[in-house]
Amino acid sequence: NAGVTQTPKFRVLKTGQSMTLLCAQDMNHEYMYWYRQDPGMGLRLIHYSVGEGTTAKGEVPDGYNVSRLKKQNFLLGLESAAPSQTSVYFCASSSDAAFYTDTQYFGPGTRLTVL
Amino acid sequence: KQEVTQIPAALSVPEGENLVLNCSFTDSAIYNLQWFRQDPGKGLTSLLLIQSSQREQTSGRLNASLDKSSGRSTLYIAASQPGDSATYLCAVRANFGNEKLTFGTGTRLTIIP
């Protein structure tokens, strides 16, 4: 049982390049989330999904797209990376059984640097 | 807009001491509050979750309290150990728009052996 895994762990991009971050969970969770963590700002929600085939915007969605084609996977895409997107990205998942009471399980993070 | 504050940003205490970490939030209309632990280079691990109707939750040496009316929560760690060294974050879930957790910026705790 791996929990929540993220690929890659580290990445360096040049401005304007694109990339996709992959999140996978093996807990059969309905809900999945993408956050970014920046110094002095806490974690902020980028996008989330309440089930396979669904996505919704979070607090800071601009510059990112997501897809949830399979229940266990949640992809975060950067179409044209900007230095402001340098951050640590965390994926999380949670059960629908008790959505408002259950905790979120986090992956180990992806450290992205955009030059 | 909900804002969550954790002061101090960093704290060092000798091993064996009891300590309290603080979390304050501006909007008292919350559904629940969680405390997380984050080790360097790692993701977040949930420690305790307190529902808005509860006053406290305990797990081992950890005790979290919630005073919703004053917008405050504390995390009490008893008999601190070097393995407790980590960053501790609190997060609140709002009544409206429940999909969103608002996080504080954390307190980096160092336990000195």
Side-chain angles (χ1 to χ4, degrees):
Chain A
N1 189 333
V4 180
T5 58
Q6 293 183 231
T7 307
K9 290 184 169 53
F10 303 93
R11 186 72 185 268
V12 179
L13 291 179
K14 294 181 179 178
T15 298
Q17 288 184 320
S18 63
M19 77 163 295
T20 300
L21 282 67
L22 171 63
C23 175
Q25 52 94 4
D26 61 2
M27 296 174 283
N28 201 35
H29 285 169
E30 287 292 336
Y31 298 98
M32 297 187 74
Y33 316 81
W34 275 107
Y35 293 90
R36 59 178 290 173
Q37 184 177 36
D38 302 291
M41 301 198 68
L43 276 82
R44 292 178 292 169
L45 182 65
I46 305 172
H47 286 281
Y48 65 99
S49 168
V50 300
E52 181 178 316
T54 74
T55 62
K57 294 181 180 180
E59 186 182 358
V60 288
D62 294 342
Y64 305 95
N65 57 75
V66 288
S67 64
R68 183 97 181 270
L69 298 179
K70 293 183 179 180
K71 185 177 181 179
Q72 64 268 32
N73 295 337
F74 195 28
L75 279 63
L76 178 71
L78 287 73
E79 289 188 348
S80 180
S84 60
Q85 294 178 303
T86 293
S87 186
V88 181
Y89 292 85
F90 288 100
C91 177
S93 70
S94 64
S95 169
D96 66 329
F99 176 58
Y100 300 122
T101 59
D102 199 12
T103 189
Q104 295 181 13
Y105 296 84
F106 281 77
T110 294
R111 185 174 297 275
L112 175 67
T113 302
V114 182
L115 302 175
Chain B
K1 178 185 173 184
Q2 177 75 272
E3 293 184 1
V4 180
T5 304
Q6 293 182 249
I7 296 173
L11 179 67
S12 294
V13 299
E15 179 179 0
E17 285 198 0
N18 304 325
L19 62 100
V20 174
L21 304 180
N22 298 300
C23 172
S24 61
F25 46 94
T26 55
D27 186 349
S28 62
I30 64 169
Y31 196 89
N32 60 40
L33 181 145
Q34 295 186 63
W35 282 93
F36 291 87
R37 169 184 173 137
Q38 184 176 25
D39 292 290
K42 301 289 180 62
L44 281 68
T45 301
S46 179
L47 298 173
L48 290 164
L49 184 153
I50 311 177
Q51 299 300 331
S52 62
S53 58
Q54 297 176 320
R55 296 284 293 182
E56 63 180 78
Q57 281 286 344
T58 298
S59 176
R61 294 183 295 108
L62 305 180
N63 176 276
S65 68
L66 175 64
D67 184 343
K68 203 173 77 161
S69 61
S70 68
R72 293 176 185 273
S73 175
T74 61
L75 179 66
Y76 174 83
I77 302 178
S80 58
Q81 303 170 359
D84 295 329
S85 297
T87 296
Y88 291 81
L89 299 99
C90 67
V92 298
R93 186 188 293 279
N95 281 325
F96 178 74
N98 278 317
E99 70 285 349
K100 183 175 179 296
L101 290 178
T102 302
F103 284 83
T105 53
T107 294
R108 188 174 69 253
L109 176 65
T110 302
I111 305 301
I112 305 164

